[in-house]
């Protein structure tokens, strides 16, 4: 979660915050469309603190780091509450942000459901909420201004199609490491991959379990897959919903005496630097990039909304690009490693 506040001034409570300029037509129009449209200029400061969903993955670390620098570039204060992957902590943090009367809240929702009550509180306080990198399930889309996310079903499709193309007509048993249960990205990445492999009767999903987006859990669950599947000999490929779990799986596969990337193909999502190291070592085969820069487009949408009354589209989609070891992994590793992964 991210909040913005005004420099050098006492934080105003939601009640104290002035309604926007009624002479400004675009402001009035934006307020009709989005009742959270409050102050019509975004307040900024150079001093920054940061918030986040947790620290489950290298991608998350980079997203936090990139969010900080995107805020700094725009002279915006950013505070981060570490919710340690718990929805209840995220809800508490939102309530505290609302009580402080912040200018906006960015929310990376750990799970998809259960947000209506607290987002209604933010809406009543006229604080715009922008979703970052994960979606929520709600019948009331006016609870948030926009969502900056990738198409996570498509990510799963890209991973599944890569596998289908690479195994051809050979029979292939796949095991899957899912992300956090209830997270939109976990549900969608599974859905997309399942859809893609359903078109190929030679490819079968034989085991699927959550690894909670962490390296440690990815390793642990892979160990149990290997044990259950003849020491891994029945497994042709492993699909992980993020690279961190794939890196944990690679370790488990090596410890079982198999060659990841050859005996067991590895396809995952995120494109963090460590997966490019695995490409260089011929231990992983493909990854679908998720940009860590979700905050940049979110800040731009927020500034345009606050300053000009421009309502953003409900979904700002980020790109999902496939990388394989043929894409100069050393160069990509070098270009990414300074981003805070
Ligand atoms: O929501 C994005 C996902 O969350 C990333 O793919 C994963 O690494 C992170 O934990």
């Amino acid at each position: 979660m991210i909040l913005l506040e005004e420099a050098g001034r006492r934080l105003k409570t939601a009640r104290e915050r002035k309604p926007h300029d009624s002479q400004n037509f675009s402001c009035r129009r934006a307020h009709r469309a989005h009742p959270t449209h409050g102050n019509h200029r975004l307040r900024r400061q150079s001093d920054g603190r940061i918030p986040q969903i947790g620290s489950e993955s290298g991608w998350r670390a980079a997203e936090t780091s990139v969010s900080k620098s995107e805020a700094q570039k725009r002279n915006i204060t950013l505070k981060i509450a570490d919710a340690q992957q718990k929805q209840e902590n995220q809800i508490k943090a939102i309530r505290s942000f609302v009580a402080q009367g912040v200018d906006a809240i960015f929310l990376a929702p750990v799970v998809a459901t259960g947000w209506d009550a607290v987002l209604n509180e933010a809406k009543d306080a006229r604080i715009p909420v922008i979703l970052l990198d994960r979606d929520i399930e709600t019948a009331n889309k006016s609870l948030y201004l926009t969502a900056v996310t990738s198409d996570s079903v498509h990510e799963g499709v890209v991973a599944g199609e890569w596998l289908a193309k690479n195994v051809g007509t050979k029979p292939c048993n796949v095991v899957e490491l899912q992300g956090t249960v209830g997270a939109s990205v976990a549900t969608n990445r599974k859905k997309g991959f399942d859809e893609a492999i359903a078109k190929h009767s030679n490819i079968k999903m034989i085991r699927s379990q959550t690894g909670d987006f962490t390296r440690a859990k990815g390793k642990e669950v892979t160990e149990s897959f290997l044990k259950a599947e003849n020491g891994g000999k029945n497994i042709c490929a492993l699909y992980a919903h993020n690279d961190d779990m794939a890196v944990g799986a690679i370790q488990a596969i090596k410890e079982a005496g198999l060659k990841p990337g050859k005996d067991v193909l590895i396809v995952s999502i995120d494109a963090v630097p460590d997966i490019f190291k695995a490409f260089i070592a011929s231990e992983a085969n493909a990854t679908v990039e998720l940009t860590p820069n979700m905050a940049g487009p979110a800040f731009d949408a927020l500034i345009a909304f606050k300053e000009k009354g421009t309502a953003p589209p409900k979904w700002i989609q980020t790109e999902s690009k496939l990388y394989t070891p043929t894409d100069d992994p050393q160069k990509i590793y070098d270009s990414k490693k300074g981003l805070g992964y």
Side-chain angles (χ1 to χ4, degrees):
M1 256 150 297
I2 293 166
L3 70 89
L4 314 167
E5 70 178 26
E6 187 166 12
R9 292 212 207 158
R10 179 176 70 84
L11 285 172
K12 293 174 181 174
T13 64
R15 257 186 221 150
E16 286 172 316
R17 289 188 302 121
K18 279 197 198 136
H20 50 278
D21 180 358
S22 61
Q23 301 307 306
N24 181 317
F25 173 73
S26 61
C27 230
R28 268 184 282 137
R29 195 176 45 196
H31 183 65
R32 273 200 302 273
H34 301 273
T36 53
H37 175 67
N39 309 309
H40 86 121
R41 287 197 64 243
L42 182 65
R43 299 169 296 173
R44 311 198 199 177
Q45 75 175 43
S46 53
D47 170 32
R49 290 175 277 164
I50 297 220
Q52 191 50 282
I53 198 177
S55 51
E56 72 281 8
S57 66
W59 183 87
R60 183 68 56 199
E63 193 214 7
T64 300
S65 160
V66 171
S67 298
K68 285 180 190 172
S69 60
E70 291 296 316
Q72 250 170 12
K73 272 187 209 164
R74 295 166 177 83
N75 201 22
I76 289 172
T77 288
L78 181 61
K79 296 180 178 178
I80 298 182
D82 183 347
Q84 297 177 336
Q85 298 213 66
K86 291 200 176 84
Q87 183 179 35
E88 72 224 55
N89 292 345
Q90 291 196 306
I91 290 174
K92 266 190 220 148
I94 294 173
R95 291 210 162 110
S96 148
F97 293 167
V98 169
Q100 290 170 53
V102 300
D103 290 326
I105 296 171
F106 290 3
L107 168 65
V110 64
V111 290
T113 55
W115 295 103
D116 280 34
V118 73
L119 294 191
N120 260 309
E121 292 167 31
K123 184 176 171 182
D124 288 347
R126 300 170 60 200
I127 298 172
V129 171
I130 295 186
L131 304 179
L132 291 191
D133 84 81
R134 296 186 188 180
D135 276 323
I136 60 169
E137 282 170 30
T138 178
N140 184 1
K141 299 279 183 207
S142 77
L143 292 179
Y144 61 89
L145 182 64
T146 183
V148 183
T149 73
S150 63
D151 179 342
S152 43
V153 175
H154 179 66
E155 290 166 346
V157 170
V158 172
E161 285 177 349
W162 175 86
L163 183 68
K165 193 171 159 207
N166 281 272
V167 295
T169 53
K170 245 183 27 193
C172 183
N173 288 338
V174 187
V175 294
E176 176 181 41
L177 292 169
Q178 295 180 37
T180 302
V181 176
S184 63
V185 286
T187 310
N188 293 343
R189 286 171 184 176
K190 171 158 192 55
K191 184 171 183 269
F193 189 85
D194 287 349
E195 273 171 23
I197 64 167
K199 297 181 185 139
H200 304 270
S201 57
N202 58 316
I203 303 178
K204 259 201 213 118
M205 179 67 74
I206 55 166
R207 291 188 184 266
S208 178
Q209 208 178 304
T210 181
D212 219 6
F213 282 130
T214 70
R215 219 170 261 220
K217 205 70 196 300
K219 179 168 188 267
E220 186 187 309
V221 175
T222 305
E223 283 164 354
S224 72
F225 288 162
L226 293 163
K227 226 181 186 173
E229 295 298 337
N230 193 18
K233 292 190 186 75
N234 294 344
I235 303 172
C236 143
L238 179 136
Y239 166 49
H241 290 191
N242 80 348
D243 290 342
D244 277 73
M245 291 190 293
V247 170
I250 288 170
Q251 192 54 37
I253 293 166
K254 288 204 285 194
E255 286 172 14
L258 296 173
K259 288 197 171 106
K262 288 195 181 77
D263 299 329
V264 180
L265 299 175
I266 308 287
V267 53
S268 52
I269 292 168
D270 275 356
V272 305
D274 279 355
I275 208 71
F276 291 97
K277 270 202 209 158
F279 282 0
I280 294 163
S282 304
E283 292 178 346
N285 308 86
T287 187
V288 184
E289 185 174 42
L290 177 68
T291 176
N293 188 5
M294 301 280 163
F299 283 132
D300 290 342
L302 183 64
I303 291 165
F305 178 63
K306 289 272 194 179
E307 297 188 350
K308 297 192 195 122
T310 311
K314 216 63 204 176
W315 182 23
I316 299 173
Q317 190 185 341
T318 62
E319 209 195 337
S320 308
K321 188 171 172 214
L322 177 76
Y323 285 100
T324 69
T326 58
D327 290 310
D328 198 347
Q330 185 63 57
K331 192 168 159 207
I332 300 168
Y333 174 80
D334 291 340
S335 71
K336 281 180 175 261
K337 68 175 194 266
L339 287 178
Y341 285 99

